[in-house]
Amino acid sequence: MDREQALLLVKPQLTEHRYQHTLGVMETAIRLAEKYGADTKKAELAAIFHDYAKFRPKDEMKQIIEEQNMPPILLEYNSELWHAPVGAYLAEIEAGIKDEEVLDAIRYHTSGRVGMTLLDKVIYLADYIEPGRHFPGVEEVRKMAEEDLDRALIQSMKNTIQFLMKKNQPVFPDTFNAYNSIVTNTGG
Ligand code: DGI
Ligand code: FE
Ligand code: FE
């Protein structure tokens, strides 16, 4: 699927603001893929579809999680987490995306996971630093992303976990496990 076709499928699923975010993630993901040697076409496709399910009703997402035997623990945590695995599923059945690497990058773009692939990292980070993002700490991560993908990823995960903790929100286990995994693997 080329960029134009993909964007035409995604646009009606999103608000204008979220569509602009998606375009920012796409540009950033392609740039990071070029810089760090990931597949730019896969990065483009995963970025375009990463928030595909963002505005599906909660009850529809819940039903998909149950019927598709996704980890039931998802339902015990913030519903904000659900659009990532549900988005991977819908990108496959509604848009016909079959590439498992692309689907995984969509599936894990919110939580991360243990043993993230280069493509997973590119999408996670692009989602965090795209030009439309404005929150404390983002500029620091943008700078790090120019030098060291893993360091930038660790910093963005740290910020996310701290943000959740400050709000007294639970942290999904994959989020912690992803952080531990990358810190361990980078000696860092
Ligand atoms: O979909 P986006 O807004 O572009 O970004 P995202 O997919 O990273 O989703 C961010 C939302 O998910 C934000 O509201 C925080 C929430 N979130 C991310 N990780 C966790 C989490 N919420 C909980 N409770 N636990 C997590 O580990
Ligand atoms: Fe998202
Ligand atoms: Fe996003």
Side-chain angles (χ1 to χ4, degrees), residues 169-186:
Q169 280 202 31
V171 179
F172 188 58
D174 278 4
T175 303
F176 267 131
N177 291 334
Y179 169 78
N180 287 341
S181 161
I182 188 168
V183 166
T184 306
N185 285 316
T186 56

Side-chain angles (χ1 to χ4, degrees), residues 97-114:
I97 295 174
K98 294 267 175 248
D99 188 313
E100 285 298 330
E101 287 182 76
V102 170
L103 296 176
D104 278 345
I106 299 169
R107 185 172 292 122
Y108 299 108
H109 86 264
T110 303
S111 63
R113 61 164 161 168
V114 171

Side-chain angles (χ1 to χ4, degrees), residues 4-181:
E4 243 166 74
Q5 277 179 299
L7 288 172
L8 278 174
L9 289 175
V10 165
K11 195 168 198 299
Q13 300 287 329
L14 303 176
T15 60
E16 182 57 27
H17 181 261
R18 183 61 43 173
Y19 184 67
Q20 293 303 323
H21 160 71
T22 293
L23 295 177
V25 176
M26 180 186 79
E27 296 294 347
T28 307
I30 292 169
R31 201 170 54 71
L32 290 173
E34 281 168 352
K35 187 171 178 62
Y36 292 104
D39 185 314
T40 54
K41 280 290 154 202
K42 291 187 187 202
E44 178 181 78
L45 193 58
I48 292 172
F49 278 94
H50 86 282
D51 277 339
Y52 183 70
K54 189 81 178 173
F55 298 105
R56 294 292 166 127
K58 268 191 215 176
D59 55 354
E60 186 188 334
M61 291 197 284
K62 183 169 185 281
Q63 193 180 348
I64 290 171
I65 288 168
E66 287 166 348
E67 288 179 1
Q68 299 305 317
N69 299 311
M70 293 176 189
I73 190 176
L74 280 162
L75 300 175
E76 296 171 32
Y77 286 82
N78 195 335
S79 58
E80 278 292 327
L81 291 159
W82 303 351
H83 74 283
V86 170
Y89 170 73
L90 293 175
E92 181 170 7
I93 64 149
E94 292 183 1
I97 295 174
K98 294 267 175 248
D99 188 313
E100 285 298 330
E101 287 182 76
V102 170
L103 296 176
D104 278 345
I106 299 169
R107 185 172 292 122
Y108 299 108
H109 86 264
T110 303
S111 63
R113 61 164 161 168
V114 171
M116 289 171 84
T117 65
L118 182 57
L119 190 67
D120 292 349
K121 293 176 181 181
V122 162
I123 298 302
Y124 185 101
L125 201 55
D127 190 23
Y128 194 85
I129 65 170
E130 64 93 2
R133 295 291 209 193
H134 303 284
F135 42 73
V138 70
E139 201 46 52
E140 184 188 14
V141 177
R142 280 192 186 112
K143 288 203 186 93
M144 286 181 179
E146 299 303 319
E147 309 283 329
D148 186 330
L149 182 71
D150 284 337
R151 242 184 100 232
L153 193 68
I154 289 169
Q155 189 61 42
S156 64
M157 288 178 169
K158 221 187 249 184
N159 290 352
T160 299
I161 291 169
Q162 281 175 345
F163 169 80
L164 293 167
M165 285 185 161
K166 271 191 199 129
K167 293 203 303 170
N168 286 322
Q169 280 202 31
V171 179
F172 188 58
D174 278 4
T175 303
F176 267 131
N177 291 334
Y179 169 78
N180 287 341
S181 161

